Amino acid sequence: MTHIVWDWNGTLFHDIDAVVGATNEVFRPYGVGPFDPDGFRAVYTRPIWVAYERMLGRSLHDGEWERLDEGFHDHYHRLMLACELAEGALSSLQSWEQAGRTQSLLSMWGHERLVPKVNELGIARHFARVDGLRSASGGPKAEHMAVHILALGLDPENVVVIGDSVDDAHAAQHVGARAILYTGGMTSRVDLEQVGVPVVDSLVNALDLI
């Protein structure tokens, strides 16, 4: 493997507390929750509207997904200000770069917010490319991964995707890359292990596996 495609939320960026806090805020009027991180992981899945339907125990009404998504992001963008890089994130970026290998960042978070945040945290120089979501949120990552890999001109056989969700593994499989899943984000270890790819408890362990 010569290239890593990193996920952002829940992987390099340790924002589980902001995600859970924002989720609790938008579901409080429904009398649902509050969730702690483990409780949230027990219902979390992608696409995220399916997780919301699990929380509510019913299908979403017309327009309800859009309202919940907007409310979540309003709260998340406030709460994430207290969040930092995940433990081992910076050292992993540095050591991979020092080994003469390349890396990039692909996130399902809004591109217009992702790029400034990556710059603010001082890590933009480590990435050959940074891509966030430029369209409506909530869908699968696979097609975005295909565009990302094509833009970089990479052979997928030389690529490993490191992320915190089942969706990251499916996106890797979609393009013919490998995947390593990390337990520091929004998905439970049980769900991650069902995918059949390596699961690690630290980003440093992910690099050791590669």
Side-chain angles (χ1 to χ4, degrees):
M1 300 293 105
T2 59
H3 185 93
I4 295 174
V5 177
W6 294 96
D7 175 55
W8 181 243
N9 303 97
T11 305
L12 289 176
F13 190 54
H14 186 67
D15 62 349
I16 184 66
D17 291 336
V19 169
V20 174
T23 301
N24 286 335
E25 290 290 340
V26 295
F27 280 95
R28 181 177 291 119
Y30 291 88
V32 174
F35 298 96
D36 61 14
D38 286 338
F40 176 82
R41 290 179 178 118
V43 296
Y44 174 78
T45 190
R46 290 196 64 88
I48 191 64
W49 59 74
V50 176
Y52 285 2
E53 289 178 337
R54 286 181 180 180
M55 294 174 189
L56 292 170
R58 61 168 174 79
S59 298
L60 295 176
H61 302 313
D62 287 347
E64 193 171 22
W65 154 246
E66 290 79 6
R67 291 193 300 274
L68 286 168
D69 189 52
E70 181 179 359
F72 169 85
H73 283 95
D74 285 345
H75 291 294
Y76 173 80
H77 292 140
R78 170 177 54 85
L79 296 171
M80 61 157 276
L81 297 176
C83 300
E84 301 287 347
L85 291 173
E87 183 178 354
L90 183 57
S91 63
S92 295
L93 293 173
Q94 291 171 336
S95 63
W96 188 257
E97 184 179 86
Q98 288 163 4
R101 297 167 181 173
T102 58
Q103 51 201 329
S104 59
L105 177 58
L106 176 62
S107 173
M108 299 296 282
W109 192 33
H111 186 78
E112 75 287 350
R113 288 186 179 271
L114 174 67
V115 171
K117 191 65 179 177
V118 170
N119 284 322
E120 175 193 326
L121 292 169
I123 58 172
R125 66 180 182 83
H126 295 292
F127 303 115
R129 185 178 179 91
V130 175
D131 282 324
L133 197 65
R134 294 176 172 89
S135 58
S137 62
K141 198 172 190 173
E143 292 303 324
H144 301 279
M145 183 67 71
V147 171
H148 185 78
I149 295 294
L150 182 63
L152 286 164
L154 296 170
D155 181 346
E157 290 190 357
N158 296 324
V159 175
V160 59
V161 175
I162 301 178
D164 72 305
S165 74
V166 171
D167 192 42
D168 289 304
H170 290 165
Q173 292 163 353
H174 178 73
V175 298
R178 298 188 184 186
I180 297 173
L181 298 179
Y182 166 58
T183 61
M186 292 162 265
T187 309
S188 70
R189 173 178 269 279
V190 170
D191 286 345
L192 294 178
E193 288 176 339
Q194 290 177 355
V195 183
V197 303
V199 177
V200 296
D201 294 318
S202 78
L203 298 180
V204 174
N205 286 346
L207 260 65
D208 290 341
L209 273 182
I210 301 171

